[in-house]
Structure formats: C-alpha cells, structure tokens
Amino acid sequence: MPEIFKAGSVEEAVERAQAFKAEGRYNWFRGQVQDWPPFSSLFRIRRSGDTAAIEKVQSRYLLFCDWLTENPALRYLLEEESLHQFSAVAQHYGIPTNYIDFTTDPAVAGFFSADSPTPPANGMSCMYCVDTKDLLEVADDMKAVGVRDRAILETVEVDVTNLWRLQAQRGVFLLCDYNWDVDYPMDRIIFPYTGYPSYPERDYIYPKEKSALELLLEQYFDIEKKHFGREYIRDMVADLQAKGANASIQTMESFPNGFYAEGFLEPDKLAPLASWGKAQEPAWRTYPDEHFDDVGGHMERIHLRAGDRQSLQRAVGFAVKQLLDAKPQHRAKLIEWVPVDETNKLPVQELSTLFRSAWNGMRSLPFSNAQIATAFATITGLLSAGFRGGLQREDVNRCFSDVRGDGINLEMAYADYASSRGFAPTEALRGAIRSDLKALVLPQYQAQMDDLRFVFQLVQNPRLLFEFEPLVDIFACDLIPTQILLRRTPTLFNPAELTIVGLP
C-alpha cells in the first residue's frame, strides 16, 4: 500500500518533499492538479482504442522524422543512441510518448500541481514521491518471477542539447508502456488545491528565452499545424463532394527552380549569385551548445531621454551598439534588455519583450553588432509609430512608411516550408537585387523591372535575385523587427536558410 501524507497547501507539500529528498527517502517527484493515475500519454491513447487518434500519432512521428532528416543540425536525434533525446523533445512538445515527466526538484513539482487552465472547484492536488532505486528493484523482481516480461519500465535521465525547458524543469522521465501503478502504487503528498505557489514563476518553468533548438522546433510545429490543417480541409472537401456539393481546392504552385523561366532570354544562365557562398559558412549553419543555467541572469538598462521618435531610435541603436562592442561576451548570454523611458511615452514592458525576441534569434547568428543595434532601433521606432499586428492593411503600411520609408510586405519560407511575413523598404530591396537582372529578362519585360511587385512575380528564389550581404542587412534591419512586431510565429531569423521570398 502506498504511504499517503497530507499537507495544508502546495507550499507545505513542497517543503515536506524537500525534507524527504534531503534525508534520502525520495529522489523523483511529480506534481498533478488531481490524483489521477500517472500513465503515459501514448499508453492512454492506445488503451482508448481510438483508431483515428492512434493513426494521427503515427502520422505525427513520420512527419517529425522526415523534418529531422532534412535538418542537418538536428539529424542526430534520429540515431539509435539518441532515442531518449528524441523522445524527450517529443514529450516536451506534446507528441504522445511512453515517457512520463518527473523532476528532481520538489518546487517544480509544486508548480505542476497547480498548473491547470481549469482548476478543480473541490479537489485534492497531489505530489508523487519516488525512490527510483526501490522502483527499479521492484521491476526487476517482477521480471524475475516471469511477470511483465514484455513490459518496459526504465528511468531516464538525459540532457538534450539546448532543450532549455527540460533543463529549467530539472526534468527526468519514467519510460513505461503499461499501467505500472498496479505493481508500484506511489507514495504521495495530497493537499487542497490552493493555486500556484509563490515560487517558481511560470517564466522559470517555461523560459521566455528560446534556444536555437527551440526556435527550430517552433518552425516545425508551424509546419505540422499547416500539414494537419490541409488534411482537415481535404477531408472536408471530400465529404462535401460525396454529398453532391460543388467543392474543390485551389492551390498555388511555385515556379520550378524559383523563377518564371519563360520570362528570361536564357533561363539556364540565371544561376545562384556567387555572394551566396557566404551562406554556407558554418556560422550560418551551426548553433552553439548552451545550457540554460549557464547563459541566463544578465540585465542591461537602456536609458531613453529623447522625446521625438528619430532621437529615440538613435539613442537605442547607440546604446546597444556601445554595449555589445564593449562586452563581446554578451553575444553568448541571455540578456534582459530593460528600457528606462524618462519621457514616459513608450510601453517599456512591451518593448523589453520585443527586444528579448530579437536578441534570442539574432545573437547566435553572424549578424554584426551594428545590425543587431539597428534591429532594436527599428523595433523602437515602429512601436512608437503604432506598427503592430491586428491593424488594417493600410494602417500597417502607413506606420511602416512613416518610420522606414515606402515598403513592401513580403512572404518568406525555408526549405522545410516554415514561413513568415515581414516588411522591407522598397529602395533597400532594389539596392540588393542583382545588377544584371534587367538584361536577363525578355525585352517586353524590361520596362517593368523597376516595379518590385513585378520582379517578385518573375523570381522568388532569393539566391537568384539578391546579393547575400545586402539581403542580410535588410533582414536584420527590417524583416526581423517587423516579423516580431507582427507577432509572427515562427519568426524566421536566418537569411541563409531562405528558399523563397515573394509577395503574400
């Protein structure tokens, strides 16, 4: 029989679990809003017998594995020796697995014992307490007597490179494919639901800062969402057609090789520009191995005294550039940028959040300090002008032109079909276009080559259209800031990965 302890609140339960840990009684903990059986998500789905749900899980795994295969930075997760790392990523991002989350930190378990969008009106929260040595001995004994020969029950402790939420949560896993509590009912502390404890905060459990891995995973889950959205629409249209309705799906196909070949004199001569050789450099293709505890905890204040928008932009750009030049080690750190607005005209909390997003995505890539500083300045100027998501198209265009000049809204995509939208100044785009483009098109099109919208109808492959370094500058100074302000998820930060740039 399990031993059941009682506490008056979540804080008391955490302190009691910490005392148990200190005396060596238990080493793993799991918090739950209610005292329900701690089965894995995959076991629950399989036990339900829901064929559609099981098939969707299989589809999710296939899609995820296909994406990993095409992503050199993460392909190692498909190797046999990386099975636990692969499963930890899947578990933390909601793909059903046979892994059950535990933690070595009772305070983290206390947070999860309160973490629910619909708190129970009258219920007892629970914190499971496990001595893993005892658990594994019981599992071995069961197998020794011929029980659970085919069942899996293992403890897993794995540190996934750059999976910061796992590191922040001191996460560990029980790998189990059956209803294991019939063999090993866990000891637990039960207590009335009293809401979240005063520590830790949600931002500690789910860090706002994103590692290179987590930014890549945002891309993937955007792709997954679109994939299943298309499947839903196809099924809906098929159902309507079966009922006799006049329904169909219209799709837009991109040009082979990223350009309209019939518009060029000699299509075979439209080759990628030599400047894109820099996009293959390791600095654009690899990411640092960073542990969450090692890179956080830094703050920089930016004092803003100027009153007009242009002066505010200059002040932000100057401060960020000076800081990064003086402290080059900052590029390897998470920085909390704190604007101190002495004019009381800016929403400084929102500005700090926007700076965090830009910093997270840019600091590890080979953008110059000046480009990062300009990104921060652009964010400041556009925010003060009212540029943000949710506005009417004409209002967004007007706000951008007030700060950055006449601009154009572009859609961008990577090879894996992760996509986003942002704004860029038309003059900067013209300056980045290959100098011989007009000479390469058919004579009847040459008069229209000053119209950027027409150009994007001819060429969508950035390697054929733009010189690399000028495009990097546009990306840093405008396309990243506007994606962030428009709350695009995912935000595309790496111009070297672009395969499509065109009109929405």
Side-chain angles (χ1 to χ4, degrees), residues 273-285:
L273 292 159
S275 63
W276 279 81
K278 294 182 178 179
Q280 301 304 317
E281 294 177 355
W284 288 108
R285 299 291 177 177

Side-chain angles (χ1 to χ4, degrees), residues 64 67 89 93 163 213-221:
F64 189 40
W67 179 77
V89 171
Y93 280 85
L163 187 54
L213 168 65
E214 289 162 339
L215 289 171
L216 284 172
L217 289 170
E218 275 192 359
Q219 291 173 206
Y220 168 72
F221 286 102

Side-chain angles (χ1 to χ4, degrees), residues 38-226:
F39 302 151
S40 74
S41 53
L42 189 55
F43 172 75
R44 291 178 187 277
I45 290 173
R46 285 175 172 163
R47 189 173 66 167
S48 73
D50 186 336
T51 303
I54 294 171
E55 289 177 352
K56 184 169 183 178
V57 171
Q58 294 170 339
S59 295
R60 293 187 72 184
Y61 271 102
L62 289 172
L63 190 65
F64 189 40
C65 289
D66 287 345
W67 179 77
L68 291 173
T69 300
E70 299 300 322
N71 195 309
L74 298 180
R75 199 174 294 150
Y76 78 93
L77 290 172
L78 295 174
E79 298 170 0
E80 186 176 352
E81 59 268 26
S82 298
L83 174 62
H84 291 320
Q85 288 92 330
F86 171 91
S87 299
V89 171
Q91 174 75 0
H92 268 260
Y93 280 85
I95 299 177
T97 72
N98 277 322
Y99 289 64
I100 305 170
D101 292 297
F102 281 81
T103 178
T104 59
D105 185 348
V108 172
F111 173 88
F112 282 109
S113 72
D115 189 35
S116 172
T118 54
N122 295 295
M124 299 296 285
S125 295
C126 168
M127 188 184 299
Y128 289 115
C129 306
V130 178
D131 174 359
T132 54
K133 183 174 180 292
D134 182 55
L135 169 63
L136 294 177
E137 287 176 352
V138 170
D140 289 342
D141 290 343
M142 298 289 287
K143 290 184 181 295
V145 297
V147 180
R148 313 297 183 202
D149 285 343
R150 298 183 180 180
I152 298 172
L153 196 153
E154 302 174 15
T155 57
V156 176
E157 299 184 43
V158 61
D159 185 11
V160 181
T161 300
N162 290 334
L163 187 54
W164 287 351
R165 60 170 61 184
L166 174 65
Q167 295 166 356
Q169 295 171 16
R170 307 295 188 264
V172 288
F173 304 98
L174 184 66
L175 171 56
C176 188
D177 63 352
Y178 75 107
N179 55 335
W180 64 290
D181 69 325
V182 300
D183 298 330
Y184 192 89
M186 285 186 289
D187 296 347
R188 66 202 71 181
I189 306 170
I190 60 172
F191 48 95
Y193 181 87
T194 54
Y196 287 97
S198 55
Y199 175 87
E201 294 181 316
R202 173 172 287 275
D203 290 350
Y204 176 87
I205 299 295
Y206 297 107
K208 290 182 178 179
E209 293 83 0
K210 298 287 175 54
S211 70
L213 168 65
E214 289 162 339
L215 289 171
L216 284 172
L217 289 170
E218 275 192 359
Q219 291 173 206
Y220 168 72
F221 286 102
D222 173 65
I223 296 164
E224 185 189 80
K225 180 180 177 181
K226 291 173 181 175

